[in-house]
Amino acid sequence: MEQWDNELSVELYALGNLMWRRMGEHMRQDGLADVTVMHSMVIGYLMEHGETYQRDLENEFQVNRSTITKIVQAMERRGYIRREVVAQDKRMKQLVLTDLGRELNHRLRQCAEDTNREFMEALPPEEGTAFIASMKKIRKKLE
């Protein structure tokens, strides 16, 4: 076992927790205390990709079906998204942002940009680019 094996998992876990926490702080400061960080990520995904399916969110965020079901149900209750039956297959339901979800997106996006900028200020631009590229390579390998 190489020296960095345990260090990698500890650092990634801690960094992820710090990022979630910091994003939540930015959201609370902007008066978005009722929106979770995961809800903000789903809203951002739907804004970027349009109507999508629950399994797309499972794949994008690497969470299991029961977890994403709970997230989608909560978002639907809060009025951020709605499920629409697909004409070709009545069993399938697309997830669609509501007007409220679209309105929240701009503020949530600003919170995410502030969080990302704060984190990436720790690295020179070329290291930041390499860091993100490395994370994408690792994710692709593990998926």
Side-chain angles (χ1 to χ4, degrees), residues 2-102:
E2 297 202 28
Q3 173 268 334
W4 51 264
D5 286 349
N6 187 47
E7 191 175 357
L8 175 65
S9 58
V10 169
E11 290 302 320
L12 281 175
Y13 186 81
L15 188 59
N17 283 337
L18 284 169
M19 185 159 233
W20 286 106
R21 191 176 305 139
R22 193 58 54 94
M23 175 74 174
E25 289 171 10
H26 284 286
M27 290 165 57
R28 282 188 295 284
Q29 290 169 359
D30 195 28
L32 297 169
D34 293 340
V35 183
T36 70
V37 174
M38 190 64 195
H39 293 172
S40 75
M41 291 171 49
V42 170
I43 288 170
Y45 182 88
L46 288 171
M47 279 298 292
E48 187 174 327
H49 295 92
E51 290 101 5
T52 192
Y53 300 96
Q54 208 166 295
R55 73 173 171 274
D56 298 322
L57 298 177
E58 293 170 25
N59 293 331
E60 177 68 16
F61 301 116
Q62 292 300 304
V63 295
N64 62 38
R65 182 179 293 174
S66 63
T67 299
I68 206 66
T69 296
K70 289 175 188 172
I71 291 166
V72 165
Q73 288 171 343
M75 291 182 73
E76 196 171 24
R77 278 192 307 275
R78 291 179 181 183
Y80 306 151
I81 63 172
R82 68 178 179 277
R83 292 186 242 197
E84 294 182 351
V85 175
V86 177
Q88 311 88 288
D89 187 345
K90 302 287 187 212
R91 297 170 296 171
M92 305 233 5
K93 294 189 175 126
Q94 287 182 322
L95 304 177
V96 180
L97 278 176
T98 62
D99 289 340
L100 175 59
R102 282 190 292 282

Side-chain angles (χ1 to χ4, degrees), residues 19 23 26 105-120:
M19 185 159 233
M23 175 74 174
H26 284 286
N105 181 63
H106 177 71
R107 291 169 62 196
L108 292 168
R109 187 178 185 137
Q110 187 61 53
C111 291
E113 287 173 8
D114 292 345
T115 303
N116 290 338
R117 185 174 24 265
E118 190 175 346
F119 271 66
M120 296 310 282

